[in-house]
């Protein structure tokens, strides 16, 4: 099973597709956003520092992110994994290539800004990692405000507001072109249109994973 790197704007469904890949193929899901939010929740000094950066939609420094990802990858040695949220800069991508063998495929989940804004406005998340969307029938929780999986209360992420979203989306676009070119030149890039239903997207991703 090939390791997967997701490149995607906020709210493109990385988390949802990662959960499906986890269930169907046993992938380990590594979300750098989740790792940072766990650090914030722990109340550590580092958590407090990154919270200020994340809440306004900016990127955390490459050095810190590379440290975090190196530790995580060392811990799961040998098991197939999905990187969700890393790399976000060319520097991160280059360091990742030093860590990984050639054993990965890059999946770019394509979603335009207007559709992403709609998703952000309706998004609710659970601390177990599952995401919901009140603007999408497929993604509404069965009971309002409660996680279908674990029964915990759903919350709105502090950075899921239109102001922070615009900074996050623009950061994404600024950094993505260079990443897309980098992986395209390496013949690693697969583009998937995510303005479709979850199963169709998952089928496309499964085919990419199966063919490689
Ligand atoms: P996400 O959950 O992937 O949308 O990430 C939430 C926030 O965490 C981002 O807006 C960034 O502030 C930060 N972050 C996550 N991954 C990275 C990364 N690879 N490089 C820099 N900042 C990151």
């Amino acid at each position: 099973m090939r390791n997967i790197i997701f490149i995607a704007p906020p709210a493109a469904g990385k988390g949802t597709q990662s959960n499906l890949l986890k269930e169907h193929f046993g992938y380990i899901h590594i979300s750098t956003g989740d790792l940072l939010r766990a650090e914030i929740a722990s109340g550590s000094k580092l958590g407090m520092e990154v919270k200020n950066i994340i809440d306004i939609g900016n990127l955390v420094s490459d050095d810190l992110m590379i440290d975090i990802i190196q530790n995580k990858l060392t811990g799961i040695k040998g098991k197939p994994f999905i990187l969700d949220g890393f790399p976000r800069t060319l520097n991160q991508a280059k360091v990742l290539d030093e860590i990984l063998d050639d054993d990965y495929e890059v999946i770019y989940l394509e979603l335009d800004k207007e559709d992403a804004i709609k998703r952000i406005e309706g998004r609710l998340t659970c601390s177990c990692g599952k995401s919901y969307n009140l603007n999408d029938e497929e993604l509404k929780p069965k009971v309002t405000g409660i996680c279908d999986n674990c029964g915990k209360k759903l919350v709105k992420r502090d950075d899921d507001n239109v102001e922070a979203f615009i900074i996050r989306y623009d950061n994404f676009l600024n950094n993505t072109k260079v990443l897309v070119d980098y992986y395209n030149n390496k013949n690693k890039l697969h583009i998937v249109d995510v303005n479709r239903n979850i199963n169709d997207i998952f089928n496309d991703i499964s085919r990419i994973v199966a063919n490689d």
Side-chain angles (χ1 to χ4, degrees):
M1 196 94 343
R2 308 281 278 176
N3 297 313
I4 298 172
I5 296 175
F6 272 142
I7 299 181
K14 286 176 292 172
T16 302
Q17 293 299 327
S18 297
N19 282 337
L20 287 170
L21 287 161
K22 207 159 82 175
E23 278 166 31
H24 288 255
F25 303 118
Y27 275 98
I28 295 188
H29 176 207
I30 303 174
S31 155
T32 44
D34 285 350
L35 293 173
L36 291 168
R37 283 183 286 276
E39 191 66 43
I40 293 169
S42 77
S44 69
K45 186 165 171 280
L46 178 64
M48 274 162 13
E49 280 165 24
V50 295
K51 180 170 170 43
N52 292 330
I53 299 169
I54 292 178
D55 282 356
I56 55 168
N58 279 335
L59 288 183
V60 173
S61 76
D62 280 352
D63 284 351
L64 176 61
M65 294 315 303
I66 287 163
D67 247 22
I68 290 176
I69 216 73
Q70 257 166 342
N71 282 339
K72 196 70 196 175
L73 291 177
T74 309
I76 58 143
K77 238 182 180 121
K79 298 189 187 128
F81 58 83
I82 302 161
L83 284 185
D84 161 358
F86 189 99
R88 268 182 159 94
T89 65
L90 185 58
N91 186 27
Q92 291 179 12
K94 286 184 174 165
V95 174
L96 190 61
D97 270 332
E98 288 165 19
I99 304 172
L100 299 181
D101 292 329
D102 218 25
D103 188 20
Y104 65 85
E105 295 299 322
V106 178
I107 300 181
Y108 178 16
L109 304 179
E110 206 172 34
L111 181 70
D112 68 32
K113 197 169 183 173
E114 286 66 37
D115 291 319
I117 286 182
K118 267 186 237 146
R119 290 187 181 198
I120 284 285
E121 284 172 340
R123 180 156 77 170
L124 291 175
T125 57
C126 179
S127 56
C128 75
K130 195 161 163 60
S131 261
Y132 295 86
N133 205 301
L134 303 180
N135 295 335
D136 182 338
E137 285 308 316
E138 260 193 308
L139 286 172
K140 279 186 180 168
K142 292 194 180 88
V143 178
T144 308
I146 301 293
C147 179
D148 297 350
N149 267 5
C150 67
K152 283 194 210 132
K153 201 164 169 265
L154 301 178
V155 292
K156 191 146 190 73
R157 274 170 47 170
D158 287 343
D159 58 349
D160 272 355
N161 58 73
V162 174
E163 295 73 31
F165 164 79
I166 289 170
I167 298 175
R168 283 157 69 204
Y169 192 92
D170 290 345
N171 269 336
F172 168 76
L173 282 190
N174 287 338
N175 291 319
T176 300
K177 167 107 185 59
V178 73
L179 285 181
V180 164
D181 290 348
Y182 180 75
Y183 287 123
N184 204 15
N185 287 337
K186 287 173 155 284
N187 255 342
K188 292 281 187 194
L189 190 74
H190 307 264
I191 297 177
V192 174
D193 171 13
V194 292
N195 210 356
R196 297 177 302 149
N197 77 52
I198 292 172
N199 280 339
D200 289 348
I201 300 164
F202 181 62
N203 288 339
D204 277 6
I205 294 176
S206 301
R207 270 196 292 273
I208 295 166
V209 171
N211 283 341
D212 289 316

